[in-house]
Amino acid sequence: MSRERPAPPEALPGEVFDSHCHLDIMVGNRQASSGDPVALAAQAAGASVESILAEAKSVGVTRLVTVGYDLPSSRWNAEVAGRHRDVYAAVAIHPNEAHAATPEVLAEIEDLARRPDVRAVGETGLDYFRDWASKDDQHASFRAHIEIAKRTGRALVIHDRDAHDDVLAVLADQGAPDVVVFHSFSGDAEMAKRCVDAGYFMSFSGPVTYKNAGYLREAAAVAPPELILVETDAPYLPPTPHRGKPNAPYLIPLTLRCLAEVKGMDLADLAARITANGETVFGAW
């Protein structure tokens, strides 16, 4: 993993926001002692929340949503959102950590979700790529988060990795919240059609720009503009041509330009549409 930071792309002609990133990992609140090469590369830059926001704003990315994946990160992100007017937070226990989703932990996630600057419950869902948590634990945690989102009136942000059919089945069986977002959408055009039919938002990240990810561009072509979001998942999933380098919100323009080309839309019009979608999902900024 290269520690070289990508150069800023050309600024956007209008404002847009990053619907999903992990500020705590980028600034080193979660130390990369596990040897996570992406986290290590991002933290080598020595960035602060303030510098990340300023760099993003310089290219037209004026707001962001920072996302929790366990209880400590959810607490941290909620606190940061409370201190920065251009930041909202999402809180949850990631499916890979579902074994930690005890009743006591979930109760605190629900308390955090009720804070005014926490606008989503996530990322939650199912991950069949890794076996860090059993499927039984993942399903139980996912269902509990769905209920938290419904009780708090928050959007549900879904992590879906190699589990499309089961994620959709759980949502249908449990009863989905009013607003559902598939973070870093990873399905094909058929999956996108199923999400459209259900009214679920699809958030596209760096992989939509990858040469070998034509299926993602086909999915983006199917997704109507009113159900599209754009994200980085920073410091992960950097867009082309920066694979192998740390991602950050200031690289959103590269992914957005790809989406505009796929959709045959004016770049400023798509940015405006996504910004409006963000208010539908997360509320007014």
Side-chain angles (χ1 to χ4, degrees):
M1 181 79 189
S2 170
R3 296 193 179 191
E4 179 187 353
R5 297 189 74 247
E10 180 183 350
L12 295 168
E15 295 181 358
V16 78
F17 79 106
D18 183 350
S19 76
H20 192 115
C21 68
H22 300 283
L23 283 177
D24 60 316
I25 299 176
M26 284 185 276
V27 304
N29 182 67
R30 188 191 83 175
Q31 294 299 323
S33 57
S34 63
D36 177 348
V38 179
L40 284 167
Q43 291 163 18
S48 65
V49 172
E50 291 75 15
S51 67
I52 290 168
L53 288 169
E55 193 169 39
K57 288 178 181 179
S58 73
V59 296
V61 182
T62 57
R63 301 178 178 93
L64 56 84
V65 180
T66 185
V67 179
Y69 44 86
D70 59 15
L71 188 53
S73 70
S74 294
R75 289 170 178 159
W76 189 93
N77 284 310
E79 291 293 331
V80 165
R83 296 196 301 268
H84 295 273
R85 65 179 301 272
D86 295 324
V87 178
Y88 279 153
V91 296
I93 307 302
H94 192 286
N96 290 336
E97 305 296 327
H99 51 274
T102 64
E104 295 77 15
V105 166
L106 291 169
E108 185 167 347
I109 291 294
E110 182 162 348
D111 287 344
L112 291 170
R114 296 184 187 278
R115 293 190 182 189
D117 298 299
V118 175
R119 297 300 180 93
V121 173
E123 56 187 283
T124 181
L126 302 174
D127 188 326
Y128 292 172
F129 179 78
R130 292 192 173 98
D131 61 357
W132 297 356
S134 71
K135 287 186 178 181
D136 285 348
D137 283 346
Q138 290 190 47
H139 278 252
S141 177
F142 186 23
R143 287 177 183 272
H145 282 87
I146 291 171
E147 293 306 309
I148 292 172
K150 289 193 286 190
R151 286 194 297 269
T152 59
R154 299 301 192 234
L156 184 74
V157 175
I158 290 177
H159 172 103
D160 164 27
R161 191 165 188 187
D162 294 353
H164 305 322
D165 289 342
D166 280 7
V167 167
L168 290 172
V170 170
L171 287 169
D173 180 65
Q174 194 74 17
D178 290 340
V179 179
V180 172
V181 179
F182 276 77
H183 131 69
S184 194
F185 185 81
S186 59
D188 58 12
E190 184 56 38
M191 175 68 176
K193 291 175 184 176
R194 296 171 72 183
C195 288
V196 172
D197 289 343
Y200 300 153
F201 286 83
M202 290 157 275
S203 185
F204 290 91
S205 57
V208 76
T209 70
Y210 297 172
K211 184 177 180 180
N212 64 348
Y215 69 98
L216 287 177
R217 290 184 288 279
E218 292 170 1
V222 167
E226 61 270 19
L227 289 177
I228 286 178
L229 297 174
V230 64
E231 66 170 89
T232 56
D233 197 23
Y236 305 100
L237 305 181
T240 299
H242 300 303
R243 295 184 73 173
K245 299 179 182 178
N247 200 2
Y250 75 95
L251 294 178
I252 278 279
L254 297 172
T255 302
L256 189 66
R257 285 189 166 89
C258 175
L259 288 172
E261 182 177 348
V262 168
K263 301 299 294 177
M265 292 182 66
D266 175 79
L267 187 61
D269 288 345
L270 181 56
R273 177 69 262 178
I274 287 175
T275 298
N277 293 346
E279 297 211 351
T280 298
V281 174
F282 301 108
W285 291 88

